Amino acid sequence: MFRRIGNVVVRHPVWTIVAWLIAAVAIVATAPSLPSNSDESSFLPRSYESIKAAELQEKAFPSAFTPSAIALYQRTDGGRLTAADQKDIARITSELGAKHIDQVQKVVPGRPSKDGKYAMTLVQMDSKNAGQPQQVDAAKELRKDVKDLAKGTRLDVKLGGSAAQALDQEDSSKRGQALIGIGTFVIILVTLLIIFRAPILAVLPLLLIGLVSAIANGLIAYATKLFDLQANSSISSILIVVLFGVGTDYFLFLMFRYRERLRAGDEPKQAMVNAVDRVGEAIASAAGAVIIAFLALVLSTLGFLKQMGPALAIAVGATLIAGLTLIPAVVSLIGPKVFWPSKSWQKEPENARFAALGRGVQRRPALTAVLSGLVLVVLSLGTLGFNATFDLASGSMPKTKESMVVQDEMQQAYSAGAAAPTDVYLSSTDGKPLDKAAFGAYAQKLGAVEGVANARMAQVNKAGTTADFTVTLKYEASTDKAIDAVGQVRDVAHSAAPDGTEALVGGMSSIFKDIDSAVNHDYRTVFPVAALLIMVILGLLLRSVVAPWYLIASVGLGFGATLGATVWIFQEGQGHSGLMFMLPVIMYLFVVAIGTDYNILMIARLREEAREGRDPREAAGMALRHAGPTVAAAGFILAATFATMMLAGNALLTEMGFAVSFGIAVAAFVMAMFFTPSLTALIGHAAWWPGHGDQAKPTASGAGTGPGDASGGDGRDAVTRDPAGRRG
């Protein structure tokens, strides 16, 4: 199949390129916009209590006041607010409401702080559009207007709240994307220049993957709208890295193989056909593992991850198709001039360092396996200290952003939970009015819960069937203490509910409590499903039942080592209270899927060497010698591109960038180079049971060796022939 694909695109390179250009123009021109949703509650299905509470609130209290934005005032000299200041605040609040800004439903004064240094204006927006672009625009206008109205006074005013956080998150995301994009381009350009010493080869993948990126983003927008998925601005930053990192990997695999066939004496166009023929199976298997791992996120209960899975799968799928069609078509048009001005492509490198490493693995496979395995186990111990944090807003932007400053100042000036109070909704089950005489005792029980600052009955609906009790926690909504406290509030709210009533607990802390439960559910479903499907791909590729087990186990160890190192650096080293809650799921899928890629490349090369008649230990040594350079180059580029996410300046992408880049480095330089080949050498022929894939098979001359050569390393034919194709 892959030879047929190679023949078609090499025979018709111009038509192949034109088809890609037409597809790009059509998709980009017609694709819908991809809005960003920063409303955490939209990530959860309706079966969770916090979502049921939100729906009840909309039904029972449609005009209930829930501030989407908060203007926080203080004097410029930091002193107590004077009567004149209070008059200015009242005027600003009144004039702000009179502007009738789109999405703004009500503007009312808030209560002052106990120390008299702070006051608030509360802004209510349409709850149905929470986190949507129109509310981001409203927050932008509000921030400008409130500052303009405060000019000429002694007041310093800042805008916070969920709408302002969405605005700041969007701004931070744009800056982060620009830094990530520039960093990714520079790393790929410089690394490819060092590897090939050819400017055309260094620039070509950036141009081609840029075209693929435009198509992939359009397809993702279509899929998001078609399946009504949730969008988040952080996904765009991840997509840049996935597209250019994985795309460059596939480009490298193909170019190493193309260069090898040219050295073996193939005519240039035939060299590309042979390259696609031999590299196709490995790239398709590697991409298949990544796509399946990402699609496993569809099983997640969180809307954010449900959208991320298909989006990344589409990106990798588009990159795979480009690797098998667009890249071969363009390179076949250019021919060997693609390596200009370097002459090194014409001669076989000695790979002395990798040859030495290969001899070490060959001589002492048991020691290599123990030492590399020990490194992974020791790093994995850090997972015991893992703690999750759920503040997606502050995790997605720097603490210096205005909305984050407001959040911090409100925690100091008011009760930490005042910015996001918890609501307990008590409803009758028989439709009769509630007994108001029981409200005082019920509120008292809620207020007695550990971690609660105060609790009061706030309002009753017109029918008298639902009462809203406002519970203010002592802690900021996303902290562990707040989440634990709201769990106790739920227990008391349910158990203390009078006969004939039921209670639902809503608010941000309740949402975070449910997100915690959802993530734990994902650990039990997404992880094993992804691992099982990847094992199936490995089994089909290697025709083995044994190899997939220890390959996936080694990748699992790599995941543990990555999470452990991340915990030690960010929680222990930098003092973070925890890592972002979705990080282990994302890390697992990236490290497992991409780590499996490098294992596929190395183990397939090892199988090829075994088919040449070498014993298991010698085959492992030769595999490291020939496939090692490609795995090292691909691993370095991909790890470095993911590391650019640390430039974004927010906790989520910094943690994710470090974790994934570290995991890829472990996968390439520990697992694929040492742990996997040494284990395979120790297991011997049994590793290929029942398919006996390591047994020698006759091969057609000039067509390359086995599919393992798709690792991009230089195969045996290339070692034993001079550039003219004569046997050495």
Side-chain angles (χ1 to χ4, degrees):
M1 179 180 77
F2 297 107
R3 175 167 286 274
R4 287 197 295 271
I5 293 173
N7 274 319
V8 170
V9 299
V10 170
R11 287 178 183 174
H12 309 287
V14 174
W15 286 112
T16 302
I17 296 168
V18 168
W20 271 91
L21 291 173
I22 291 173
V25 172
I27 292 172
V28 171
T30 60
S33 61
L34 187 63
S36 175
N37 192 343
S38 60
D39 179 19
E40 285 89 343
S41 65
S42 65
F43 298 160
L44 288 166
R46 293 183 176 181
S47 58
Y48 283 89
E49 181 170 348
S50 60
I51 306 304
K52 290 180 179 179
E55 292 176 345
L56 175 61
Q57 182 245 308
E58 290 182 9
K59 181 179 179 181
F61 307 103
S63 60
F65 191 91
T66 303
S68 299
I70 301 171
L72 184 67
Y73 306 91
Q74 66 179 132
R75 282 181 62 87
T76 53
D77 59 10
R80 291 174 62 89
L81 296 170
T82 65
D85 296 329
Q86 297 285 4
K87 188 176 180 180
D88 285 331
I89 293 171
R91 174 186 58 80
I92 293 170
T93 301
S94 176
E95 292 183 12
L96 199 62
K99 288 182 176 292
H100 301 295
I101 297 171
D102 181 47
Q103 295 296 307
V104 173
Q105 297 177 329
K106 194 182 296 184
V107 181
V108 300
R111 60 187 177 88
S113 62
K114 290 181 180 180
D115 61 9
K117 293 183 177 181
Y118 294 87
M120 297 184 293
T121 293
L122 307 179
V123 181
Q124 178 180 315
M125 297 186 188
D126 187 352
S127 60
K128 295 179 181 178
N129 294 325
Q132 296 298 327
Q134 52 264 53
Q135 290 203 359
V136 173
D137 294 338
K140 188 174 184 179
E141 188 173 350
L142 274 170
R143 180 171 284 170
K144 177 182 180 298
D145 288 348
V146 76
K147 290 181 185 296
D148 288 342
L149 291 171
K151 288 180 179 178
T153 70
R154 295 181 178 273
L155 296 171
D156 175 44
V157 58
K158 303 181 187 73
L159 192 74
S162 59
Q165 288 177 354
L167 171 62
D168 290 341
Q169 187 177 351
E170 183 180 271
D171 291 342
S172 178
S173 177
K174 289 178 180 177
R175 175 182 175 274
Q177 286 181 40
L179 289 173
I180 289 169
I182 294 170
T184 299
F185 286 6
V186 170
I187 286 169
I188 292 174
L189 188 67
V190 172
T191 307
L192 291 179
L193 277 172
I194 293 172
I195 292 173
F196 292 107
R197 299 179 183 87
I200 297 176
L201 265 182
V203 173
L204 194 58
L206 297 176
L207 297 176
L208 298 182
I209 299 168
L211 177 64
V212 176
S213 175
I215 293 175
N217 276 291
L219 293 175
I220 290 165
Y222 274 120
T224 300
K225 185 176 181 179
L226 180 63
F227 297 104
D228 194 26
L229 300 172
Q230 300 296 336
N232 187 276
S233 54
S234 296
I235 292 177
S236 299
S237 301
I238 300 170
L239 277 174
I240 292 172
V241 177
V242 169
L243 281 163
F244 283 91
V246 174
T248 304
D249 267 10
Y250 297 162
F251 180 83
L252 272 176
F253 302 155
L254 185 68
M255 294 312 301
F256 269 88
R257 183 66 182 195
Y258 176 60
R259 185 177 65 178
E260 175 192 331
R261 296 314 309 160
L262 289 174
R263 286 171 177 165
D266 288 358
E267 181 271 331
K269 288 189 179 295
Q270 189 59 43
M272 181 54 72
V273 173
N274 287 339
V276 174
D277 178 34
R278 307 319 302 172
V279 84
E281 183 180 7
I283 288 182
S285 299
V290 177
I291 290 170
I292 282 181
F294 288 157
L295 287 178
L297 283 175
V298 172
L299 301 175
S300 171
T301 51
L302 295 174
F304 171 75
L305 295 178
K306 275 181 178 289
Q307 196 270 346
M308 178 180 285
L312 296 179
I314 289 170
V316 175
T319 307
L320 167 63
I321 296 171
L324 297 178
T325 59
L326 180 61
I327 294 174
V330 173
V331 175
S332 67
L333 272 181
I334 301 172
K337 292 180 181 178
V338 76
F339 297 105
W340 178 88
S342 174
K343 303 290 185 182
S344 61
W345 66 272
Q346 297 176 350
K347 59 183 179 181
E348 188 66 36
E350 295 181 0
N351 292 338
R353 294 180 182 176
F354 289 95
L357 292 174
R359 288 193 297 270
V361 171
Q362 179 178 340
R363 292 169 183 167
R364 299 181 181 85
L367 180 63
T368 303
V370 169
L371 289 178
S372 55
L374 190 61
V375 169
L376 299 176
V377 170
V378 170
L379 288 174
S380 297
L381 295 176
T383 59
L384 300 175
F386 171 73
N387 186 49
T389 183
F390 298 88
D391 190 358
L392 188 60
S394 62
S396 301
M397 68 185 105
K399 287 289 187 182
T400 53
K401 284 292 185 180
E402 185 170 326
S403 59
M404 292 294 96
V405 174
V406 170
Q407 179 174 290
D408 292 341
E409 290 181 349
M410 284 192 64
Q411 289 180 35
Q412 297 172 9
Y414 299 85
S415 170
T422 295
D423 289 288
V424 177
Y425 299 102
L426 187 68
S427 301
S428 64
T429 55
D430 56 8
K432 296 179 180 179
L434 296 168
D435 179 11
K436 295 183 179 180
F439 288 173
Y442 189 66
Q444 189 175 3
K445 290 179 180 178
L446 293 174
V449 174
E450 184 178 356
V452 172
N454 60 74
R456 60 184 179 85
M457 203 287 292
Q459 57 185 331
V460 180
N461 69 339
K462 291 181 180 179
T465 55
T466 300
D468 174 13
F469 294 82
T470 300
V471 178
T472 304
L473 302 179
K474 296 178 181 178
Y475 319 108
E476 196 276 320
S478 64
T479 61
D480 292 339
K481 289 183 178 180
I483 292 170
D484 291 340
V486 86
Q488 296 180 51
V489 169
R490 281 185 178 182
D491 292 339
V492 172
H494 297 160
S495 62
D499 293 338
T501 66
E502 64 176 1
L504 292 173
V505 180
M508 290 309 303
S509 293
S510 185
I511 288 171
F512 291 135
K513 177 74 174 175
D514 287 339
I515 288 177
D516 188 23
S517 301
V519 170
N520 289 331
H521 167 270
D522 291 351
Y523 291 160
R524 297 189 298 270
T525 54
V526 175
F527 283 23
V529 168
L532 180 63
L533 293 175
I534 290 173
M535 285 180 65
V536 170
I537 287 182
L538 288 171
L540 293 174
L541 172 68
L542 302 174
R543 280 78 169 174
S544 168
V545 172
V546 177
W549 285 98
Y550 69 82
L551 289 176
I552 203 69
S554 71
V555 175
L557 267 179
F559 164 76
T562 302
L563 181 57
T566 307
V567 168
W568 275 336
I569 287 177
F570 289 97
Q571 287 186 207
E572 305 298 332
Q574 297 189 12
H576 291 194
S577 60
L579 304 178
M580 292 305 297
F581 66 91
M582 79 281 282
L583 186 64
V585 177
I586 295 172
M587 186 193 308
Y588 174 85
L589 294 168
F590 276 106
V591 173
V592 169
I594 296 173
T596 303
D597 279 7
Y598 298 133
N599 269 343
I600 286 174
L601 298 172
M602 186 60 73
I603 200 74
R605 180 63 196 232
L606 193 153
R607 177 182 63 179
E608 177 196 343
E609 296 295 339
R611 284 176 172 174
E612 293 289 335
R614 296 183 173 90
D615 64 56
R617 293 193 178 197
E618 185 183 3
M622 293 300 292
L624 181 53
R625 174 184 177 181
H626 296 306
T630 306
V631 171
F636 173 79
I637 288 179
L638 195 58
T641 52
F642 271 102
T644 60
M645 294 171 68
M646 299 174 70
L647 300 173
N650 66 66
L652 174 61
L653 292 181
T654 298
E655 292 172 3
M656 192 183 301
F658 170 82
V660 177
S661 61
F662 184 87
I664 290 169
V666 167
F669 296 101
V670 179
M671 289 189 301
M673 285 198 185
F674 297 106
F675 194 62
T676 297
S678 59
L679 271 182
T680 307
L682 288 172
I683 297 172
H685 297 292
W688 307 100
W689 185 87
H692 305 296
D694 62 331
Q695 292 182 355
K697 292 182 179 180
T699 58
S701 62
T705 51
D709 214 20
S711 64
D714 302 298
R716 196 179 181 199
D717 277 351
V719 173
T720 56
R721 296 184 184 201
D722 65 19
R726 298 183 295 272
R727 287 281 180 182

